[in-house]
């Protein structure tokens, strides 16, 4: 029997398809979910083909036992955990504390995400934290790994991120891909896809990474889909997971069969075969109530079917979203993609907004370092900063920005970098480096049908001026809360804002 490889080694080995198995810790400490996780981890430890068990962190924004606690148990049982490390519930100091605990426990694999918006907890809805986004957390991990920030013994994390190619609009898709660049540049060493069942989209991501020279291993997500869960995903009740009407209809037909569970597992095995055929470096297998025997079947049947992957892709994973955007032209022969990007020159632009144009003009005249008024404004700001005018000036700025952008008084304003859309007031997750994975059809995860995702708006606005590529380039540091309730204009001209953040 071959020796079990670490996830990192398996992803680096071109002869291997790495396998991770997703286990959900569940709510409680001594309940069925935790006992199931321990039993399955024990079995996974004995199977050399399974490189790690993935352990989720409060999925759906609901409370559960910490991923850390169950990861320590899995590690003790002999299997490496891949811990979901989300930023939704903890501020930066709590994140750092957890990283020390994980490092001390010898846990290296982290899947870094922003996470689902928190929902109901004890005595009401939980407070959303979102002090960091996933890019900030990845960057912190890099700095802890090389001791640059902590000046302590280096940590040993192998951290990755998530991307969703399964978005229906151009703006959403490009926002995902632009953030992918930032994740990789800032430390993601592997990428796992969100849930979806469209082979052309899996192929699109693989080709996008290749043409963008992003050298990163990709792990495709395989989720065993039951009809009730498919209906929830179809109704957008599980953020970021895409199941089309036609796939739900297929599952409804299957529901009448006595062997529906076998059909679900067979679909997963076929997805394994397709991902292997597309040359993904790994698969992540998950699903409600999944047993070791199920995972074993998926791996074995998937290997058996993999020679025939192209026919399977065309016949079984052809679930495009109505009018959905694809980055590449379709390959008529395979139904997948050519390497030719679609012509986006005339698509995906927003309509011109007066507010936007005026803010651009003000910025270019007064705030930009090359602006004619910049030196004068800097001198005035220096004077105001030390005078009695500081308080009324601050209040005037706050009032103006409250009218134009529902200002939250963070004092570290980055709006001009973000198309004059404020992530603190307009994005429920306060994302400063790109879209989270939860949007659907261009709408925000938290306000579906009511508010467009700010990164879709931003893409459309930037595209009008041919500047959309900047969404993948500029890293935005986290807010410095030392500046909270101060004037961001004075902070900017007096060199105290995020531009001076040495992070
Ligand atoms: S605005 Fe976009 S990035 Fe922010 S929470 Fe909504 S979907 Fe996510």
């Amino acid at each position: 029997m071959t020796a079990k490889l670490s996830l990192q080694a398996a992803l680096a080995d071109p002869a291997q398809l790495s396998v991770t198995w997703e286990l959900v810790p569940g709510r409680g400490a001594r309940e069925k979910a935790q006992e199931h996780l321990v039993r399955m981890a024990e079995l996974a430890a004995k199977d050399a083909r399974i490189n790690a068990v993935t352990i989720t962190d409060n999925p759906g924004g609901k409370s559960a036992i910490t991923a850390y606690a169950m990861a320590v148990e899995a590690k003790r049982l002999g299997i490496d955990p891949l811990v979901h490390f989300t930023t939704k519930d903890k501020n930066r100091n709590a994140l750092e504390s957890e990283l020390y605990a994980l490092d001390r426990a010898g846990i290296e694999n982290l899947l870094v995400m922003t996470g689902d918006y928190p929902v109901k907890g004890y005595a009401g809805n939980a407070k959303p934290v979102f002090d960091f986004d996933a890019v900030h957390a990845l960057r912190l991990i890099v700095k802890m790994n090389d001791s640059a920030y902590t000046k302590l013994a280096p940590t040993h994390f192998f951290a990755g991120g998530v991307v969703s190619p399964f978005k229906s609009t151009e703006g959403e898709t490009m926002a995902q891909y632009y953030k992918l660049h930032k994740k990789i540049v800032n430390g993601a060493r592997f990428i796992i896809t969100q849930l979806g069942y469209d082979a052309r989209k899996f192929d699109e991501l693989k080709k996008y990474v290749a043409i963008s020279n992003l050298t990163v291993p990709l792990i495709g997500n395989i989720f065993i889909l039951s009809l009730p869960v498919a209906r929830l995903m179809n109704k957008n009740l599980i953020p970021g997971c895409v199941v089309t009407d036609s796939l739900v209809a297929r599952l409804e037909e299957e529901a009448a069969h006595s062997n529906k569970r076998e059909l679900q597992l067979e679909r997963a095995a076929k997805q394994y075969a397709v991902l292997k055929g597309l040359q993904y470096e790994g698969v992540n297998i998950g699903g409600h109530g999944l047993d070791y025997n199920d995972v074993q079947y998926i791996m074995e049947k998937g290997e058996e079917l993999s020679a025939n992957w192209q026919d399977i892709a065309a016949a079984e994973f052809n679930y495009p979203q109505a009018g959905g955007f694809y980055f590449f032209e379709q390959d008529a022969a395979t139904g997948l993609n050519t390497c030719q990007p679609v012509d986006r020159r005339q698509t995906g632009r927003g309509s011109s907004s007066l507010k936007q144009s005026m803010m651009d003009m003000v910025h270019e005249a007064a705030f930009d370092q090359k602006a004619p008024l910049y030196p004068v404004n800097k001198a005035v700001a220096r004077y105001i900063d030390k005078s009695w005018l500081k308080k009324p000036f601050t209040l005037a700025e706050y009032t103006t920005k409250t009218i134009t952008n529902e200002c939250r008084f963070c004092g570290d304003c980055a709006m001009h970098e973000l198309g004059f859309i404020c992530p603190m007031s307009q994005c429920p997750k306060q994302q400063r480096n790109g879209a989270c994975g939860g949007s659907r059809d261009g709408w925000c995860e938290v306000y579906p049908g009511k508010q467009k995702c700010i990164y879709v708006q931003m893409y459309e606005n930037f595209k009008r001026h041919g500047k959309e590529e900047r969404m993948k380039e500029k890293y935005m540091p986290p807010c410095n809360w030392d500046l909270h309730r101060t004037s961001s204009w004075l902070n900017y001209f007096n060199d105290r804002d995020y531009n001076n953040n040495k992070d």
Side-chain angles (χ1 to χ4, degrees), residues 426-429 431 434-436 438-439 443-446 453-455:
Q426 308 299 305
C427 171
K429 296 186 186 174
Q431 299 293 285
C436 75
S439 67
W443 299 106
C444 171
E445 170 190 325
V446 185
C453 168
I454 63 162
Y455 284 94

Side-chain angles (χ1 to χ4, degrees), residues 287-447:
H288 187 66
L290 210 58
D291 230 309
Y292 172 67
N293 292 339
D294 301 331
V295 175
Q296 206 177 18
Y297 167 81
I298 293 163
M299 292 188 292
E300 281 162 14
K301 187 79 182 168
E303 288 292 333
E304 185 189 316
L305 295 171
S306 59
N308 204 21
W309 73 271
Q310 276 183 308
D311 293 340
I312 296 171
E316 308 274 345
F317 296 97
N318 182 13
Y319 293 106
Q321 298 177 72
F325 169 82
Y326 289 89
F327 186 83
F328 296 104
E329 298 287 357
Q330 188 165 27
D331 181 341
T334 62
L336 300 174
N337 303 287
T338 65
C339 289
Q340 176 62 44
V342 294
D343 184 354
R344 291 185 288 121
R345 279 172 301 181
Q346 301 304 327
T347 57
R349 293 157 188 254
S351 52
S352 153
S353 130
L354 182 63
K355 181 176 125 187
Q356 192 95 33
S357 310
M358 283 178 63
M359 285 180 159
D360 258 334
M361 262 167 46
V362 172
H363 186 78
E364 275 164 28
F367 286 82
D368 194 289
Q369 293 199 3
K370 294 186 199 109
L373 292 175
Y374 178 83
V376 182
N377 287 342
K378 194 165 173 77
V380 173
R382 285 215 166 122
Y383 171 77
I384 294 175
D385 207 42
K386 293 190 178 68
S387 81
W388 63 271
L389 286 167
K390 187 171 182 173
K391 196 167 179 184
F393 181 88
T394 302
L395 271 175
E397 178 193 337
Y398 175 55
T399 309
T400 312
K401 285 189 176 164
T402 299
I403 294 164
T404 57
N405 293 82
E406 298 174 42
C407 178
R408 296 293 155 92
F409 222 172
C410 73
D412 206 2
C413 187
M415 274 197 304
H416 61 282
E417 309 271 13
L418 303 171
F420 295 101
I421 302 171
C422 171
M424 308 307 282
S425 66
Q426 308 299 305
C427 171
K429 296 186 186 174
Q430 304 188 344
Q431 299 293 285
R432 283 165 88 89
N433 279 294
C436 75
S439 67
R440 172 72 72 90
D441 298 331
W443 299 106
C444 171
E445 170 190 325
V446 185
Y447 303 115

Side-chain angles (χ1 to χ4, degrees), residues 205-224:
L205 175 63
K206 191 78 188 160
K207 289 196 166 94
Y208 181 86
V209 164
I211 65 156
S212 308
N213 297 318
L214 296 171
T215 44
V216 70
L218 293 178
I219 299 177
N221 224 326
I222 297 175
F223 187 84
I224 288 71

